[in-house]
Amino acid sequence: MNRPKENTEDDSSSSLAGPVTVAVLFGGALLLLILALFGNKKSNNADDPSLEEQAEDIVKGKGKKVKSESAAAAAEKEREQRRAAAGQNQKGKAKDTFAHPLLVTTLRGHTGEICDGDFSANGKYLVTSSEDRSVHIWTCADFLSDDPAKEIRHSRLNMDYDHAVLVRFSPDSKALLGRMNNDNVVRVLKLNKKPDGHYAGLQTVLDLPTTSHGEIVFMDINCNGKFIMTGYADTQICLWSLKGNLLATIVTNVATLHCAKVSPCGRFVAASGANQFPFGTQQFL
């Protein structure tokens, strides 16, 4: 009775073993399939750039494009500046080489705005002053050239820390008078020469005393070098000895002093103004 019961249990366990084995095999195959699909997708993603990488490449491409455009714009701007500079040089050359029946020559050498000029009494030299803190002395004999564009040789004499807005030769051509811009004084400057006769430099001899008349607007020296004249913004005129002593003060009675000059004979001082033209005689000869 007991032996048939044992056979029934063995049959039931063997019957369950078949479906379990099939389920395990099916699960393993499904897992392998999933792993295969995941590995293929990962390899494809490795071959193809992601969206982030594509966006980064696009941004970099735009940056390179912008950089190249800015470089091209800078190069074009530099070319325009060069063309403009070339045009200005051509204009300058055309301006300097213009033809005129009365043109003798063109003087070049100053690097700043030219303020004033004066011929020496003997007619041999021309002095010019400039904001470049120098005076240039030119030899007038070199002006008579067949080529008006020929560069004229000259002597450059530097001034320290200031420039002359007015300049005059002394009667003997051995000194200069300069109305200095910063100090508002008339300065007497001796001209030093080299052994070969060319000018070598300037030496300050004296400064005329300052006054309460305001800015110096005119200056001159008489033909025999006995006195120096200065005209001021308040329309008064002062006469000075060569040692800096005040000889006289002249009240011009003009509203605005436009010009003041010493006559070639040295006997008169003339002043022109806004409302009249006084003509006075000085007594210091």
Side-chain angles (χ1 to χ4, degrees), residues 10 15 31-32 37 42 48 51 58-59 71 76 112 117 139 148 166 170 212 222 236 266 270:
D10 293 337
S15 63
L31 180 62
L32 291 176
L37 291 175
K42 186 175 182 180
D48 297 334
L51 294 177
I58 292 173
V59 171
E76 181 63 24
T139 303
L166 299 173
S170 64
S212 59
N222 78 323
Q236 298 193 49

Side-chain angles (χ1 to χ4, degrees), residues 101-275:
L102 300 179
L103 177 65
V104 176
T105 188
T106 301
L107 304 179
R108 303 180 184 89
H110 283 295
T111 58
E113 183 178 351
I114 297 174
C115 302
D116 197 17
D118 186 42
F119 283 100
S120 62
N122 57 18
K124 291 183 178 181
Y125 304 105
L126 170 68
V127 61
T128 55
S129 64
S130 170
E131 290 183 352
D132 61 7
R133 295 180 179 177
S134 73
V135 293
H136 289 195
I137 298 180
W138 317 79
T139 303
C140 296
D142 295 339
F143 295 171
L144 301 177
S145 173
D146 296 333
D147 184 10
K150 180 181 177 181
E151 185 173 354
I152 306 299
R153 293 176 298 175
H154 60 278
S155 299
R156 176 190 173 99
L157 308 178
N158 295 322
M159 293 182 168
D160 295 333
Y161 313 115
D162 206 348
H163 68 274
V165 295
L166 299 173
V167 65
R168 295 291 182 271
F169 264 113
S170 64
D172 59 3
S173 303
K174 294 182 179 180
L176 294 175
L177 299 179
R179 204 286 261 176
M180 310 311 295
N181 181 68
N182 296 338
D183 296 334
N184 189 36
V185 297
V186 173
R187 184 163 296 163
V188 181
L189 303 161
K190 181 182 177 182
L191 292 170
N192 296 324
K193 282 191 174 183
K194 299 178 182 179
D196 58 3
H198 291 86
Y199 291 100
L202 298 170
Q203 180 182 351
T204 300
V205 177
L206 66 88
D207 289 350
L208 295 183
T210 58
T211 67
S212 59
H213 301 309
E215 182 181 0
I216 301 172
V217 292
F218 297 102
M219 70 174 186
D220 205 355
I221 185 170
N222 78 323
C223 61
N224 55 21
K226 288 187 176 181
F227 68 88
I228 299 170
M229 181 211 69
T230 53
Y232 297 90
D234 67 351
T235 73
Q236 298 193 49
I237 292 175
C238 291
L239 303 181
W240 308 86
S241 70
L242 298 185
K243 294 183 179 181
N245 297 322
L246 181 62
L247 302 177
T249 299
I250 302 173
V251 180
T252 61
N253 294 320
V254 295
T256 303
L257 184 63
H258 289 170
C259 185
K261 291 287 185 180
V262 177
S263 65
C265 66
R267 297 176 59 195
F268 305 101
V269 173
S272 63
N275 54 354

Side-chain angles (χ1 to χ4, degrees), residues 1-11:
M1 294 296 290
N2 295 329
R3 198 174 287 273
K5 186 178 179 180
E6 292 178 357
N7 292 336
T8 305
E9 291 179 355
D10 293 337
D11 293 339

Side-chain angles (χ1 to χ4, degrees), residues 28-85:
L30 182 61
L31 180 62
L32 291 176
L33 180 62
I34 293 173
L35 291 176
L37 291 175
F38 181 77
N40 188 20
K41 183 177 180 181
K42 186 175 182 180
S43 63
N44 290 335
N45 291 338
D47 295 336
D48 297 334
S50 63
L51 294 177
E52 293 181 357
E53 292 176 349
Q54 292 179 2
E56 184 177 359
D57 292 339
I58 292 173
V59 171
K60 288 182 178 179
K62 288 184 178 180
K64 292 180 180 179
K65 185 176 180 181
V66 171
K67 185 176 181 180
S68 62
E69 289 178 354
S70 62
E76 181 63 24
K77 185 177 180 179
E78 184 177 358
R79 285 193 293 269
E80 291 179 357
Q81 291 177 350
R82 289 179 180 177
R83 286 194 293 266

